[in-house]
Amino acid sequence: MPVRPPAPALASIDVYDPHYVVCETMLSANENPWDVDGALRQAINEALARVPLHRYPDPLAQTLRNLIADAFDLDPSWVLVGNGGDELLCDLALAWGGPDRTFLSVPPTFSVYGHNARLTNTKIVEVERQDDFSIDRDTVVSRLALGDIDYMIVTSPNNPTGNGLSDEDLLALLEVSDTLVVVDEAYGEFAQHSALPFLQAYPNLMILHTFSKAYSMAGVRVGYVLAHPEVIDQLIKVRQPYSVSSLSQVVASVAFAHREVFKPRIDAILKERKRLEEALKAFNCMTVYPSEANFVLVRIPEAHELWGYLENQGVLVRDFSANPLLKDCLRISVGLSEENDRLLSALGSWIHAKGYC
Ligand SMILES: *Cc1c(COP(=O)(O)O)cnc(C)c1O
């Protein structure tokens, strides 16, 4: 028999494609260039050796949940751990989206939000960011004031543009309606400010963090949200009960307990970002957008061709040039200094050959 068609929502959905091909120098996925090593790696290995594999994991990852709650001076009922931030974003769409529900997005931003909204038959309203990629506050606020937006997500620092959300903009969003405002701080550890100070006062605020970026654990798949317990309780209703494996819980718990070891590497990444930004600007033929994260967005003529050239040279960056809001844009993750040098040298050869500047 042929198979009958799947759910109609799937007709408009493309498979998420991270454009991940293996290259010698991987600067495309905003991962931390340093793997976990040394004493922390050892502590993780020892803890992993004691995990019972025949038992189901703790559904709510209580050990990790308590550690996170303590760190932010919250009750554990304000924390939910997920299988990466991505699972929590999906839970969010299940709990706050759905048929007859509306999601407001501020593109260009992380494509997973729209994907989850389409998957759950949620209506999408888009308010494009301004030329400098800051949010168009007046338009967003007047749209929220209509009262029909169920949830919105602002990424801060934004992926792929790198800029953060100002406190004034965030407050305007939180004050105008009861819309659930989600601040995705996947890159928050690299930035100077956070939505955290507003959490207690605003029951319509939710903050997303992940272990995948600053904490070097993209492979482990752990993220968490912070929000008032009434919000957390709704997410718990829709989540898969055993989504975070015992192994991931243990790895993340040991890492979180020793999270100060990541600090020097975060600082080193920020220093390298500054060096990379200055070197890119010195080419004088591209726009280098200001970043508060571990990546830099650039706009350069013939970006798509350049992307292919770099890949050929063994340097993978992320190509956004097909997105009409990111015409001729490439996103470069900050790597180790020798990796950044390789990128700069390949870029230099291309620019020289093209005679751009
Ligand atoms: C990387 C990322 C996430 C979360 O990734 P996980 O690996 O699923 O934790 C969430 N939001 C943005 C904007 C990201 O870039």
Side-chain angles (χ1 to χ4, degrees):
M1 280 293 150
V3 65
R4 66 174 62 199
L10 301 197
S12 66
I13 289 179
D14 295 324
V15 173
Y16 179 75
D17 176 8
H19 308 284
Y20 207 77
V21 291
V22 177
C23 259
E24 201 182 323
T25 304
M26 299 295 286
L27 302 178
S28 71
N30 297 342
E31 295 147 332
N32 193 309
W34 281 284
D35 197 355
V36 175
D37 55 12
L40 178 57
R41 185 70 169 216
Q42 182 108 31
I44 286 171
N45 287 346
E46 283 162 18
L48 279 173
R50 293 191 295 269
V51 176
L53 298 182
H54 67 311
R55 301 294 183 199
Y56 278 100
D58 180 332
L60 293 175
Q62 294 295 356
T63 304
L64 179 56
R65 193 186 198 197
N66 293 340
L67 283 171
I68 294 168
D70 272 358
F72 294 104
D73 214 3
L74 296 167
D75 185 83
S77 57
W78 290 60
V79 179
L80 181 63
V81 177
N83 185 313
D86 284 354
E87 184 203 11
L88 296 159
L89 290 168
C90 185
D91 292 343
L92 168 71
L94 288 170
W96 259 265
D100 304 318
R101 307 276 293 181
T102 307
F103 161 60
L104 187 145
S105 187
V106 283
T109 191
F110 194 39
S111 64
V112 167
Y113 312 145
H115 179 93
N116 289 330
R118 283 187 287 278
L119 202 57
T120 51
N121 292 295
T122 308
K123 184 178 160 198
I124 303 175
V125 170
E126 294 192 324
V127 179
E128 285 176 17
R129 287 168 178 265
Q130 310 185 89
D131 287 345
D132 66 354
F133 296 126
S134 61
I135 65 164
D136 178 352
R137 178 166 82 192
D138 294 344
T139 307
V140 174
V141 164
S142 40
R143 192 60 193 76
L144 290 176
L146 297 181
D148 65 330
I149 304 295
D150 295 294
Y151 71 105
M152 73 169 295
I153 307 177
V154 188
T155 324
S156 181
N158 187 39
N159 178 6
T161 61
N163 59 307
L165 176 71
S166 71
D167 287 354
E168 301 74 55
D169 284 355
L170 173 60
L171 276 171
L173 305 179
L174 291 169
E175 294 276 357
V176 67
S177 77
D178 60 359
T179 295
L180 177 61
V181 177
V182 179
V183 182
D184 180 344
E185 296 187 347
Y187 303 95
E189 291 87 357
F190 297 106
Q192 300 307 317
H193 60 94
S194 164
L196 276 165
F198 302 104
L199 190 62
Q200 296 277 350
Y202 290 94
N204 58 334
L205 172 62
M206 176 172 136
I207 302 172
L208 176 75
H209 286 177
T210 177
F211 282 75
S212 297
K213 311 285 165 47
Y215 288 177
S216 289
M217 296 196 175
V220 181
R221 312 305 307 131
V222 179
Y224 58 95
V225 290
L226 307 174
H228 281 241
E230 305 86 87
V231 171
I232 298 292
D233 288 347
Q234 303 311 311
L235 297 177
I236 290 175
K237 289 183 190 172
V238 301
R239 69 185 290 274
Q240 298 292 314
Y242 300 114
S243 62
V244 189
S245 83
S246 331
L247 301 170
S248 299
Q249 291 187 27
V250 160
V251 175
S253 299
V254 175
F256 196 80
H258 297 92
R259 64 190 176 286
E260 75 287 345
V261 308
F262 296 103
K263 187 76 178 91
R265 288 179 173 181
I266 292 171
D267 292 341
I269 290 168
L270 293 177
K271 245 174 120 177
E272 268 300 301
R273 186 193 71 209
K274 192 150 185 273
R275 183 177 76 89
L276 184 63
E277 286 170 329
E278 278 163 12
L280 292 169
K281 281 182 196 153
F283 284 123
N284 254 326
C285 53
M286 64 185 99
T287 309
V288 181
Y289 291 96
S291 171
E292 295 188 44
N294 63 335
F295 55 83
V296 182
L297 188 79
V298 299
R299 180 168 264 152
I300 180 166
E302 300 178 89
H304 181 68
E305 292 74 15
L306 168 59
W307 177 84
Y309 173 82
L310 293 174
E311 192 206 339
N312 244 297
Q313 302 295 305
V315 180
L316 190 69
V317 300
R318 185 74 186 263
D319 180 12
F320 284 98
S321 60
N323 180 332
L325 301 179
L326 295 168
K327 211 173 139 333
D328 277 333
C329 285
L330 301 179
R331 188 192 66 197
I332 304 166
S333 307
V334 179
L336 302 173
S337 68
E338 54 272 27
E339 295 177 313
N340 303 329
D341 284 343
R342 232 171 282 151
L343 174 271
L344 288 168
S345 137
L347 192 53
S349 321
W350 161 272
I351 288 169
H352 183 71
K354 286 276 172 181
Y356 283 153
C357 27

